[in-house]
Amino acid sequence: MAREQLQVLNALDGAKTQWYHFTAIIIAGMGFFTDAYDLFCISLVTKLLGRIYYHADGSPTPGSLPPNVSAAVNGVAFCGTLSGQLFFGWLGDKLGRKKVYGITLLLMVICSICSGLSFGHSPKGVMATLCFFRFWLGFGIGGDYPLSATIMSEYANKKTRGGFIAAVFAMQGFGILAGGTVAIIISYVFKIKFPAPSYKVDPLGSTIPEADYIWRIILMFGAIPAALTYYWRMKMPETARYTALVAKNAQQAASDMSKVLQIEIQEDQSNAEKVINARGQKYGLFSGEFLRHHGLHLLGTATCWFLLDIAFYSQNLFQKDIFSSINWIPKANTMSAVEEVYKIARAQTLIALCGTVPGYWFTVFLIDKIGRFSIQLIGFGMMTLFMLGLAIPYHHWTTSGNHIGFVVLYGLAFFFANFGPNSTTFIVPAEIFPARLRSTCHGISAAAGKAGAIIGSFGFLYAAQNQDKAKVDHGYSPGIGVRNSLFVLAACNLLGFFFTFLVPESKGKSLEEISGENASGSSTSMTTNGDLPPV
């Protein structure tokens, strides 16, 4: 039986779109802008790090990071992110969203700066410092996922909530774009200021001493957007849903939201307590009741995010290797070190501009019209088809004159990742779980995603190596090749399509209606095929 709803929550659900919504999107979104910049900018400079610190005299090809170092540099931030998602997700439900929101941002600012510094000049010292600070950078980034998603979902009205959460996540696209743009500008300036010959003309001279500044500047730049939003994060009030439903202070929630919404909201504390206590929803995360109400939902959100991130991060982090394998980026020995950074950044920025960013914004504008379920199914389905379209005629794409077709299909795969599961896996866990467990469950789902990202980043590094031992990168063993790796990614997307059926649709409903919090006791539970259609 449905129960009376608190006045302050009714006011939030029915609020017209106004300035505070956009302010919240910008404040939370700038965190995601920084997250994406910091996570993906490393892929722009790993080739440069290999040239600077692992040059081998007499080698026909430029220096490259040894396999274990490359895996650590590419993947250590994801290990930190996974830990941060679990820790800050749990902490956000225990202490409140706002109290821990500033900590994550401070960690990101400090560790972005420190990532560009190093203890000593030896390769081991530089890489150890980089990995240490990128782990803690990831830890801060991890906290931003559950907190930003939960805050935006709890601030939004039910009519446009999906679009608002999607807009926060869409800032990730601009972060990826910014990383490429910053790398293009910095490498171009250094290329003009310090011209250098290609590696095959002068192996030592092709890597100018000043190149060591390039990767440091690119990594440290990520501190700027995070620092700019710290003050505004601290000014945000705690969300009304946490204050009223978890902290059980409905009067404070009404006072906070009266200022935000600029309307008068009256809440009788004694009546509010009766409303809250009448719901009887007291079960914890590790209870049989949670398993009955939300067990399949958590399995669905976590598994879909896990499968999506295997494919998404493999594609993103190793674009440079894929583009090199189809000869879209020239052979490394035909370029100087700075020229290589410029070419890699240019290629990745083009993909972000044409495929990644538009996909996010299609989700923003359409998610509250066609729903989360449809977008996620379409996304996983189209990603599967495009991956097969790249993999089946792979040898055709590697021949001269066919590179543009490959890049178009590759860009479309990114488009449907972002107009699809990369957005919806972030949005849905912030909507379907009870307020007292919302941040924790989002953190668990996101951490499952990062486990997929770790598998994608570490696994693809080795798997994509050529099957011919004579053609593998220095220090690596033969792998299954790029073509077979693309088949594996297609299989992950197909599995994601089927696991989507475990997750409920949340379009157009209040958070309490979706999670079952406005029902009496434990008599009502939201099932995938019951109260709500499956998502």
Side-chain angles (χ1 to χ4, degrees):
M1 184 177 70
R3 295 285 178 179
E4 183 185 349
Q5 180 69 295
L6 298 176
Q7 291 295 319
V8 64
L9 303 188
N10 281 332
L12 277 170
D13 283 337
K16 293 180 180 178
T17 300
Q18 51 193 279
W19 181 245
Y20 92 90
H21 287 117
F22 297 107
T23 304
I25 288 169
I26 292 166
I27 294 168
M30 284 309 290
F32 263 85
F33 177 96
T34 308
D35 296 350
Y37 182 98
D38 288 332
L39 285 176
F40 294 114
C41 68
I42 194 67
S43 67
L44 301 166
V45 299
T46 48
K47 296 273 191 182
L48 179 62
L49 290 169
R51 286 196 187 228
I52 295 170
Y53 295 105
Y54 293 92
H55 171 74
D57 288 330
S59 171
T61 56
S64 61
L65 297 178
N68 59 331
V69 176
S70 183
V73 167
N74 279 293
V76 71
F78 295 137
C79 298
T81 304
L82 188 155
S83 307
Q85 285 163 337
L86 293 173
F87 177 72
F88 285 113
W90 168 79
L91 205 62
D93 283 332
K94 291 296 177 188
L95 301 182
R97 290 51 161 138
K98 183 192 171 178
K99 284 185 180 177
V100 292
Y101 207 26
I103 300 171
T104 62
L105 209 59
L106 276 178
L107 261 176
M108 287 154 62
V109 172
I110 293 166
C111 294
S112 288
I113 294 168
C114 291
S115 293
L117 306 176
S118 52
F119 302 143
H121 299 286
S122 68
K124 188 177 287 187
V126 173
M127 295 304 138
T129 308
L130 177 60
C131 289
F132 176 81
F133 285 114
R134 279 192 65 78
F135 174 86
W136 290 108
L137 173 65
F139 193 71
I141 289 170
D144 226 46
Y145 275 73
L147 293 172
S148 289
T150 300
I151 284 170
M152 199 63 242
S153 74
E154 293 181 346
Y155 261 91
N157 61 52
K158 63 183 180 182
K159 186 178 178 183
T160 57
R161 184 180 59 241
F164 287 152
I165 306 172
V168 170
F169 196 61
M171 295 299 285
Q172 189 179 72
F174 288 125
I176 295 170
L177 193 61
T181 304
V182 168
I184 287 171
I185 292 168
I186 292 170
S187 58
Y188 182 78
V189 169
F190 274 76
K191 191 170 69 153
I192 299 300
K193 188 77 174 170
F194 307 102
S198 67
Y199 182 86
K200 66 181 181 183
V201 172
D202 183 357
L204 273 177
S206 68
T207 305
I208 55 172
E210 293 81 6
D212 197 48
Y213 292 114
I214 294 176
W215 69 270
R216 297 177 191 274
I217 294 169
I218 291 170
L219 296 186
M220 293 169 103
F221 190 88
I224 296 172
L228 291 174
T229 51
Y230 180 77
Y231 170 77
W232 297 107
R233 278 203 180 185
M234 294 300 92
K235 293 274 287 181
M236 289 178 79
E238 180 58 86
T239 70
R241 284 184 160 89
Y242 183 86
T243 305
L245 299 177
V246 184
K248 296 188 165 72
N249 190 343
Q251 281 186 321
Q252 183 62 50
S255 173
D256 289 342
M257 291 306 106
S258 292
K259 294 171 189 171
V260 168
L261 295 171
Q262 298 181 331
I263 58 172
E264 186 65 30
I265 304 173
Q266 296 290 339
E267 197 75 74
D268 183 283
Q269 182 63 29
S270 59
N271 182 60
E273 286 175 7
K274 290 177 186 175
V275 172
I276 295 167
N277 291 332
R279 296 176 182 197
Q281 302 279 343
K282 305 293 184 187
Y283 57 83
L285 181 66
F286 299 106
S287 66
E289 205 165 350
F290 176 86
L291 195 63
R292 286 196 304 277
H293 288 213
H294 296 290
L296 282 178
H297 303 151
L298 187 57
L299 175 65
T301 57
T303 306
C304 287
W305 208 335
F306 171 78
L307 292 165
L308 175 274
D309 273 8
I310 292 176
F312 184 75
Y313 282 90
S314 295
Q315 285 175 256
N316 247 314
L317 284 175
F318 301 104
Q319 284 182 51
K320 59 186 184 302
D321 302 306
I322 292 170
F323 291 154
S324 295
S325 71
I326 63 161
N327 303 316
W328 194 39
I329 295 175
K331 298 293 183 187
N333 65 355
T334 65
M335 297 181 284
S336 68
V338 179
E339 175 78 8
E340 187 174 35
V341 174
Y342 177 78
K343 290 279 176 68
I344 290 169
R346 192 176 64 176
Q348 294 195 192
T349 303
L350 182 64
I351 289 292
L353 192 61
C354 298
T356 306
V357 172
Y360 284 115
W361 290 97
F362 265 70
T363 303
V364 171
F365 293 121
L366 293 175
I367 191 163
D368 289 310
K369 292 182 174 64
I370 64 177
R372 290 75 163 141
F373 179 67
S374 298
I375 287 177
Q376 188 160 310
L377 274 188
I378 291 167
F380 270 130
M382 297 304 288
M383 286 171 72
T384 304
L385 291 177
F386 285 123
M387 283 294 166
L388 291 174
L390 294 172
I392 293 170
Y394 180 74
H395 298 298
H396 166 77
W397 300 124
T398 60
T399 57
S400 181
N402 297 323
H403 306 151
I404 291 176
F406 184 97
V407 172
V408 168
L409 284 184
Y410 195 75
L412 284 169
F414 268 111
F415 174 85
F416 281 103
N418 296 307
F419 178 51
N422 193 40
S423 296
T424 54
T425 52
F426 175 80
I427 294 164
V428 174
E431 298 180 310
I432 66 175
F433 299 106
R436 67 189 179 280
L437 299 172
R438 185 169 291 134
S439 180
T440 302
C441 290
H442 193 284
I444 291 169
S445 302
K450 280 301 164 285
I454 291 166
I455 291 172
S457 60
F458 283 89
F460 196 85
L461 191 67
Y462 292 91
Q465 292 297 317
N466 201 294
Q467 292 171 291
D468 183 351
K469 193 172 183 178
K471 295 180 180 178
V472 300
D473 292 339
H474 179 69
Y476 289 85
S477 302
I480 60 174
V482 172
R483 181 173 187 258
N484 289 329
S485 297
L486 291 170
F487 276 120
V488 172
L489 300 187
C492 289
N493 293 326
L494 187 60
L495 282 172
F497 180 92
F498 291 112
F499 272 98
T500 295
F501 288 91
L502 292 179
V503 190
E505 176 64 81
S506 48
K507 182 183 77 168
K509 299 183 181 291
S510 75
L511 295 178
E512 290 68 44
E513 190 179 357
I514 300 162
S515 63
E517 285 177 286
N518 63 353
S520 60
S522 58
S523 62
T524 303
S525 82
M526 181 183 68
T527 61
T528 305
N529 296 309
D531 300 319
L532 296 172
V535 161

